Amino acid sequence: MVKEEKEIANRPDNTAFTQQRLPAWQPMLSAGIVIPGFVLIGLAFIGIGVALFVTSRSITVLEIDYTGIEKDSPCYKCSDSDAKNCVCNLVFSIDSLFEGPVFFYYGLSNYFQNYRKYAASRDDEQLSGDLDAFTAPSDSCSPYNYNSNDKPIVPCGAIANSMFNDTFVLYRVVNGAKQLVPLDGKGIAWWTDYNVKFRNPSVTPLKNAFNNTVKPIFWPKPAYQLDTSDPANNGFINQDFLVWMRRAALPDFRKLYRRITDGDYAKGLPAGNYSLTIAYNYPVVSFDGRKKVVFSNVSWMGGKNEFLGIAYLVVGSLCVLMSMVMLIVYAKFKFPEED
Amino acid sequence: MLRRRLNRWLGRDERRVDSRSICVGHRSSSNNEAFIPPKFCDNRIVSSKYTVWNFLPKNLFEQFRRIANFYFLIIFLVQVIVDTPTSPVTSGLPLFFVITVTAIKQGYEDWLRHKADNEVNKYPVTVLEQGRRVRKESEKIKVGDVLEVDEDETFPCDLILLQSSRDDDTCFVTTASLDGESNHKTHYTVPDTEKDLESLNATIECEQPQPDLYKFVGRMHIYKTDQEPAVRSLGPENLLLKGSTLKNTQTICGVAIYTGMETKMALNYQGKSQKRSAVEKSINAFLLVYLCILVSKALVCTTLKYVWQNKPGQDEPWYNEKTQREKDTNLYLKMFTDFLSFMVLFNFIIPVSMYVTVEMQKFLGSFFITWDKDFFDPEIKEGALVNTSDLNEELGQVEYVFTDKTGTLTQNNMEFIECCIDGFQYKYQDAGTDLDGFCVTDGPVNKVQHKAGREKEELFLRALCLCHTVQVKESPEQGQGQGQRDGLMDQVDGLGADGLGTDGEGLHPPPQEQRGFIASSPDEVALVKGAMRYGFTFLGFESKTMKILTRDNDVERYELLHVLNFDPVRRRMSVIVRSKSGDTLLFCKGADSSIFPRVRQEEVERIRMNVERNATEGYRTLCVAYKYLNAEEYAQADAGLREARLALQDREEKLMAVYNQVETGMSLIGATAVEDRLQEEAAETMEALQGAGMKVWVLTGDKMETAKSTCYACRLFQRNTELLELTVRTLEDGGRRREERLHELLLEYYKKAVQDAPPVKAGVTRAWSSANHDYGFIIDGATLSMVLNSSSESNSSRYKNLFLQICQNCTSVLCCRMAPLQKAQIVKMVKNSKGSPITLSIGDGANDVSMILEAHVGIGIKGKEGRQAVRNSDYAIPKLKHLKKLLLAHGHLYYVRIAHLVQYFFYKNLCFILPQFLYQFFCGYSQQPLYDAAYLTMYNICFTSMPILAYSLLEQHICMEVLLDNATLYRGIAKNGMLQWGPFFYWTLLGVFHGLLFFFGVRYLFGNPALQDNGQVFGNWSYGTIVFTVLVFTVTLKLALDTRHWTWINHFVIWGSLAFYVFFSFFWGGIIWPFLKQQRLYFVFANMLSSVSAWLVIILLILLSLLPEILLVVFRKPRGPHTGQMKPVHSSAGGHQSPRSSARPLLMRTFSDESNTVI
């Protein structure tokens, strides 16, 4: 009896798992599956590629550099760092209807928003409206946390401090008369940034929350006065501020400035001459940067991007090509295990 | 550990003071006032490593001594100290996890050890103090205490046996927990000690503790009032070892001589030396490469950073001013911290988790060996045993197999077949046709049915009955009654052998057919049983008297005067007995080679023929001789033996000299033949191993003839194998000096086997040249030592070289007449030869331990020769036939699994970190991480760890049956094929390709970051998340592509990890985490998924990365036997190595006189 029990105790379990005999699917990537698979994938990719390519082609983009390095540039005078409150006028024309809705971006190049020290130089607690962080900004904001008088800077940090502050006004020139094109600044930032991530302190008026703090050194106006026209667009939930705070991935980037959706321009910008009045405040020449404005419409795939379409076309045709090659090899050599 | 080592050192120091003196019962001898009782350690056993207080520091210290852990600690510290891009948590958390898990595991193990220690240390023992019995805790025992131990109790320390409750002053002991031998061993009390222990006044002088269980020398001085002190010798037979158990004896008293950590058990308690597998060496090499990659990446980035910063405006643009402290920092210090920062940023390329995964894979994977029911042997009711899981994959890499013969190739299940008395052959036949139970067959020796004289017959049978160390098993309650012994079984090392029931018929007298014998060597039992068949029954010992029952039903008594123990050098044993009539007789049995020179030559020839015939038939032969000792001779021998036994120094040598002197001038009576059957499927197993490209070497202590016939029977030698013999016999052939002849033969064989052999293509056709000429090589121990220790230094290395090259070109090599140490020497020689091939030793006996320890992989067979081989092995299997599955199926799979695991791990971390490296070129070399900290931390821990672990446990790229049928498949992975630089380079390239693709694919997508249909733009965390998503999916799907064996577990973990990644990303980005300083990923993932372009680019990049893989799989498929599933039809071609061998008519049974140690 005891012996039997011992035997049972010692005998290994005879289960599929312990004996490594679990039922298993053993896929075979044979030519019979791969060739049609490749053809299908290839065709699907070519299809998507064509769609992408066509869509991308249909997107109109107008890019104008206004850094003012070149002497003939209208902003040449403003590119001098001594010029204060410089305003320049950029005149351009559109040949045919610029289909709407038109998105108005500003672009910077050789600008490292992804620089590590720069990226870390913010205080999310402050930006979520925590009043404690107003009086004692995080060390990560240094050297933009206290001013020379040891007053806390709100919003602190390099990112906030360097907020893009060129402003643009777009006119349509009709018969020599300037007609203001309304720009819509709503909904240009992520919904969650505007509604959840960034919060103003719940103090009314907002100005009081900023007592005993100073505005960022570079800013002309404190945070609660960013948008004088719309009181709800002030403080940390100012759309331009939010757009700026979402740092770009690469040193050449564009950020959404406005949308042209209102009234007559909902259909797009009609052909004609336009004048863009730029309040040139943002210095880029010192670090060899460039500034530009971009008008673009978007599609289901976002902005114009030829890369994706071409890549799909190339990969798709590659798949088809490979399946051809495989077919030839298959026909010639007859893979032995295919019955 | 430290303590043990310390003890060891101390022990060694003490050993300089050659011996220790102990006063029995602490009664110092009166004539020695100046005697200061020396201090000995207490009887506490400390096997635990830690105490509550030192656990933390000591354990941490031990853990960080591992180079990998130390590396991660340094990285962590750098992160804490220097301002680095990733938070210390990213590397601290995994490290903490690993360290904690290991600490918990080790802590638990140590707790168990503490518990076990306590159990031992607190065990109550009885100490005799001034005539009183005092119960004490075991740990309080001091050297010199007299202890009383009852039956079935374990000895609490090493004792010298003073008194036994048995009449014959013996006691029985099993040492199962020490060396695994569960037979009862007899130990003797010190002669002439007084019965009254209280009045015993004695000191013991003995050697300092040493770990050898079987060696002990000491001396006991017994002081009696008004008498000269008597001196008695003490040997291992007087020593009761801690850990062994008292059996068959009611109670004994003994004096403690070694206690606590100085007991032989404690001295033997030590881990085996760590063996490292070839895979581990590869891992280390790859690690080095990756470390170089890491350092060079960091260097490149640091350099470029400073070059880039030199351009005007780049170092400190107005929007990113430096703090005062940064400005003040020394430039070189800054460079250095930047370098460290880059190191930290890229350190994930060498992941902590790889070590954890590899360890887990090995640990969990080894369970499949223990669980395998094919390894279960119903006879011993045990399966395979895994002593170390570090070497699983090594089983798939074996190139040389060194096997023992007896007990490994053969069963070591002895059966008496025939004997030869005075030149007449006797073969036992079942039917009792002959009244005597004896029957003479007409062998080639004598055509006429002759029998030797009855006198000779009886003398021979008496010799068989007396010349042994077998004990009759007593059942405790029935005591000595003979008639009541029915039903007992033989016991050889705890294995119930049931042979007796069948061969009992025809015995006289019938009632005693069944009798249990206990011996450590199965040969002896076979011989005693053989004698029993012919009517002479050994009844057992009565104190020092041996009783035998003769054919005429008389009980004869012989006083056992001396046992001249068996040892492998003498290869014989003798007993000196005194018969009733007062004659003193010496009976000797042993190998023919050791007996023939010691008997009168005229008797030899008749028996030699028989012995040689038996040997060629493959039986183990022993010769039996005797001699009468007259009173004078006996007195001389007796004195010599006693003197030698008393010697404290060189006792072995002195004994040997006396033995040799006594065992001369004997008369040969006859010879015995015992059969030892081949193990089940021995031939098939050997054939499979050879088919798998392994070279099988048989290393045996046996005679050449028997070993050779075993080799033929196992098909190691085929009929067309040309044997190259290098033995004493061939050396003496030419009649010239041995040295010269050796030189000549070596060169000749070299020419034959190496130079003339067609160049063997490495790899595929290696060792498989059945069409060509096969060579077998035979060498014996004496010649081997000539080869290895040639007189001139230059020749020695040259001979060794020649010898190795010849052997390497032979399909099998037989080394006979090997001493255990020579076995290890051979293994070592092959192990260290060119290309350092992986060696495997398999054996079952104590004499194989040295080679088991020496080889890369040591395999023990749970045979009949005790458990020493099993204890010292890395893997133990019940039968030789299991070796085939262990190597061909398990080994192969483990190797493929771990190789893939290692390569995959390096690959996945390369393509993980490469985009982060490339990103530095786009962020001003500022060490900005591409991925969020959570992703950095979780990538190796959660997202990609489980699929590869499941793969590395379950993958069967070729199913087991096919692997077993197709031994040749084993060669596909030979020479660490999957972890060579080639495959490593391929995987690295793949990693680089994927990394480049991921990064630049997304980079071009971000040429216009407005990726949403509402015109909003994506930032840098979106960029990283897209790359990371592509990465996780690609890396997981790449594994899915490689998986050939999809069980539900694979499905679960692969799809589960991907689902988990998606779920985690949503979750991580879905909540504002209060403990995070920056909510970087808030809704990044969800936003990414809302962009069609992001979806498209993810799909595109995944497909593009896997495209070459798919193509490769399809194109590679038709070639190479191991890439696809073999269909059975296909496989039959490979398994057919040997129609001719299976047709071999001759299945010789082979045996030998390789006897085992007899205590």
Side-chain angles (χ1 to χ4, degrees), chain B residues 765-816:
Chain B
T765 55
R766 188 166 58 98
W768 188 242
S769 42
S770 56
N772 301 325
H773 220 69
D774 274 352
Y775 291 101
F777 193 78
I778 302 175
I779 190 166
D780 63 5
T783 320
L784 182 74
S785 60
M786 276 174 70
V787 170
L788 297 184
N789 318 313
S790 180
S791 47
S792 66
E793 197 52 41
S794 60
N795 270 356
S796 161
S797 63
R798 187 150 155 257
Y799 285 170
K800 207 166 142 181
N801 213 350
L802 282 177
F803 169 65
L804 255 179
Q805 287 192 38
I806 297 169
C807 288
Q808 282 168 348
N809 276 16
C810 291
T811 34
S812 344
V813 175
L814 166 64
C815 306
C816 41

Side-chain angles (χ1 to χ4, degrees), chain B residues 39-250:
Chain B
K39 197 107 173 77
F40 299 117
C41 71
D42 59 11
N43 195 32
R44 216 143 38 91
I45 284 286
V46 186
S47 62
S48 55
K49 280 190 199 167
Y50 310 110
T51 63
V52 178
W53 311 113
N54 73 6
F55 176 75
L56 209 64
K58 200 171 162 188
N59 183 267
L60 285 182
F61 174 73
E62 299 241 316
Q63 288 205 47
F64 285 118
R65 273 202 325 194
R66 286 189 62 180
I67 196 85
N69 283 348
F70 187 68
Y71 162 78
F72 296 119
L73 180 71
I74 293 292
I75 291 285
F76 174 71
L77 289 181
V78 167
Q79 278 179 307
V80 172
I81 296 161
V82 182
D83 171 34
T84 55
T86 52
S87 95
V89 179
T90 51
S91 68
L93 199 69
L95 182 65
F96 179 75
F97 176 76
V98 170
I99 296 289
T100 318
V101 168
T102 318
I104 288 174
K105 184 175 149 249
Q106 292 181 347
Y108 175 70
E109 282 169 358
D110 205 55
W111 180 71
L112 289 182
R113 277 194 290 265
H114 268 287
K115 242 175 67 168
D117 285 354
N118 267 338
E119 216 163 278
V120 173
N121 290 337
K122 304 282 184 226
Y123 189 82
V125 294
T126 312
V127 181
L128 298 179
E129 273 177 6
Q130 274 106 41
R132 283 177 293 118
R133 285 190 162 71
V134 184
R135 295 294 274 179
K136 269 190 179 177
E137 284 174 351
S138 164
E139 61 181 357
K140 305 241 167 73
I141 296 173
K142 288 189 290 294
V143 171
D145 280 347
V146 178
L147 305 174
E148 193 182 272
V149 180
D150 293 334
E151 184 166 3
D152 290 330
E153 275 186 343
T154 307
F155 302 116
C157 57
D158 292 353
L159 302 170
I160 289 291
L161 180 59
L162 295 175
Q163 211 175 61
S164 163
S165 65
R166 288 175 65 99
D167 313 331
D168 54 359
D169 286 339
T170 58
C171 72
F172 294 103
V173 158
T174 67
T175 50
S177 55
L178 284 174
D179 56 11
E181 296 178 21
S182 58
N183 60 322
H184 292 195
K185 292 181 182 128
T186 318
H187 287 252
Y188 302 93
T189 55
V190 183
D192 306 329
T193 48
E194 287 168 60
K195 283 293 156 204
D196 184 11
L197 284 178
E198 218 183 314
S199 60
L200 175 71
N201 187 358
T203 57
I204 290 171
E205 213 179 305
C206 59
E207 57 181 355
Q208 290 297 346
Q210 59 149 323
D212 191 325
L213 293 179
Y214 308 110
K215 282 214 177 88
F216 173 74
V217 281
R219 213 176 351 209
M220 190 168 185
H221 301 266
I222 304 169
Y223 303 100
K224 290 183 182 158
T225 41
D226 61 80
Q227 267 182 40
E228 273 294 292
V231 181
R232 297 285 168 257
S233 75
L234 304 175
E237 70 278 4
N238 305 115
L239 183 68
L240 304 172
L241 299 178
K242 180 184 172 78
S244 46
T245 314
L246 187 63
K247 291 284 180 194
N248 255 357
T249 313
Q250 274 168 8

Side-chain angles (χ1 to χ4, degrees), chain A residues 10 12 14 19-21 25 105 112 116-117 124 142 144 189-190 197 247 249 283 301 303-305 312, chain B residues 318-319 323 326 371 373 381 897 919 926-927 956 961 1005 1008 1010 1015-1016 1019-1020 1046 1079 1087 1093 1096:
Chain A
N10 276 345
N14 187 11
Q19 300 309 315
Q20 305 194 59
R21 296 196 189 286
W25 171 56
Y105 297 89
F112 289 85
R116 178 164 69 91
K117 291 271 166 50
D124 275 15
S142 169
Y144 299 99
W190 286 18
K197 196 172 164 184
R247 296 177 303 104
M301 59 170 285
K304 192 180 182 77
N305 197 336
Y312 261 85
Chain B
W318 64 265
Y319 56 86
T323 56
E326 283 172 314
W371 284 336
K373 74 173 173 11
K381 298 183 182 60
R897 289 167 182 173
Y919 193 54
S926 60
Q927 303 117 24
Q956 294 177 37
E961 287 75 19
L1005 181 77
N1008 179 358
Q1016 289 174 359
N1020 73 322
W1046 286 80
Q1079 311 292 338
N1087 251 323
S1093 295
L1096 287 177

Side-chain angles (χ1 to χ4, degrees), chain B residues 648-817:
Chain B
L648 269 187
Q649 265 125 29
D650 304 329
R651 183 181 284 181
E652 302 289 317
E653 288 78 4
K654 283 178 184 161
L655 274 176
M656 193 77 72
V658 179
Y659 287 166
N660 285 337
Q661 196 190 332
V662 176
E663 289 164 336
T664 44
M666 301 177 289
S667 347
L668 192 63
I669 334 171
T672 58
V674 172
E675 182 188 10
D676 187 4
R677 285 196 202 88
L678 274 191
Q679 288 276 6
E680 297 166 56
E681 295 173 35
E684 289 81 354
T685 309
M686 287 302 129
E687 214 168 29
L689 297 187
Q690 288 200 325
M694 286 174 241
K695 305 209 171 159
V696 182
W697 292 35
V698 178
L699 308 183
T700 176
D702 217 338
K703 278 203 286 300
M704 195 187 95
E705 288 75 24
T706 31
K708 204 158 93 182
S709 47
T710 308
C711 287
Y712 273 114
C714 294
R715 295 178 209 159
L716 287 173
F717 293 158
Q718 313 274 1
R719 259 186 306 179
N720 61 348
T721 305
E722 189 180 337
L723 295 181
L724 310 176
E725 228 173 85
L726 197 66
T727 55
V728 177
R729 210 175 64 194
T730 53
L731 288 187
E732 279 168 353
D733 267 357
R736 302 220 307 279
R737 275 189 57 228
R738 282 182 171 199
E739 288 274 315
E740 284 169 30
R741 180 80 182 136
L742 173 72
H743 185 83
E744 200 176 286
L745 274 175
L746 269 175
L747 284 180
E748 184 193 324
Y749 292 156
Y750 178 76
K751 201 161 168 277
K752 232 187 218 170
V754 183
Q755 290 174 336
D756 293 352
V760 187
K761 280 176 205 82
V764 195
T765 55
R766 188 166 58 98
W768 188 242
S769 42
S770 56
N772 301 325
H773 220 69
D774 274 352
Y775 291 101
F777 193 78
I778 302 175
I779 190 166
D780 63 5
T783 320
L784 182 74
S785 60
M786 276 174 70
V787 170
L788 297 184
N789 318 313
S790 180
S791 47
S792 66
E793 197 52 41
S794 60
N795 270 356
S796 161
S797 63
R798 187 150 155 257
Y799 285 170
K800 207 166 142 181
N801 213 350
L802 282 177
F803 169 65
L804 255 179
Q805 287 192 38
I806 297 169
C807 288
Q808 282 168 348
N809 276 16
C810 291
T811 34
S812 344
V813 175
L814 166 64
C815 306
C816 41
R817 296 291 188 200

Side-chain angles (χ1 to χ4, degrees), chain B residues 827-969:
Chain B
V827 175
K828 192 170 186 173
M829 188 172 75
V830 173
K831 196 168 100 174
N832 296 334
S833 69
K834 211 178 91 219
S836 42
I838 306 295
T839 54
L840 176 144
S841 291
I842 179 164
D844 71 323
N847 57 346
D848 306 317
V849 169
S850 59
M851 77 173 181
I852 284 176
L853 289 177
E854 184 64 49
H856 291 100
V857 189
I859 299 209
I861 292 209
K862 297 180 170 178
K864 300 187 173 174
E865 290 189 39
R867 283 294 165 93
Q868 243 161 322
V870 171
R871 275 193 308 139
N872 288 291
S873 64
D874 303 308
Y875 300 90
I877 47 179
K879 287 267 166 68
L880 177 75
K881 62 175 179 181
H882 299 139
L883 188 63
K884 182 179 168 190
K885 190 175 184 191
L886 188 66
L887 297 185
L888 296 190
H890 284 283
H892 189 133
L893 289 178
Y894 281 126
Y895 176 74
V896 170
R897 289 167 182 173
I898 199 143
H900 199 274
L901 167 75
V902 170
Q903 298 281 27
Y904 179 78
F905 243 96
F906 282 111
Y907 148 80
K908 87 178 163 109
N909 283 293
L910 182 62
C911 60
F912 173 48
I913 285 308
L914 190 65
Q916 185 139 282
F917 168 69
L918 293 171
Y919 193 54
Q920 299 311 308
F921 293 85
F922 296 89
C923 69
Y925 313 97
S926 60
Q927 303 117 24
Q928 169 68 23
L930 180 60
Y931 317 113
D932 180 61
Y935 285 158
L936 280 173
T937 316
M938 307 270 286
Y939 176 71
N940 272 312
I941 300 180
C942 303
F943 302 145
T944 58
S945 64
M946 291 317 285
I948 183 63
L949 185 63
Y951 173 93
S952 66
L953 287 175
L954 301 169
E955 173 68 355
Q956 294 177 37
H957 65 301
I958 304 173
C959 64
M960 292 231 206
E961 287 75 19
V962 180
L963 282 175
L964 285 175
D965 290 346
N966 249 317
T968 35
L969 289 175

Side-chain angles (χ1 to χ4, degrees), chain A residues 160-165 215-221 281-283, chain B residues 318:
Chain A
N161 181 63
S162 60
M163 183 179 159
F164 187 75
N165 60 357
K215 65 179 174 59
I217 299 152
F218 181 69
W219 287 18
K221 285 178 283 187
N281 301 319
Y282 208 72
Chain B
W318 64 265

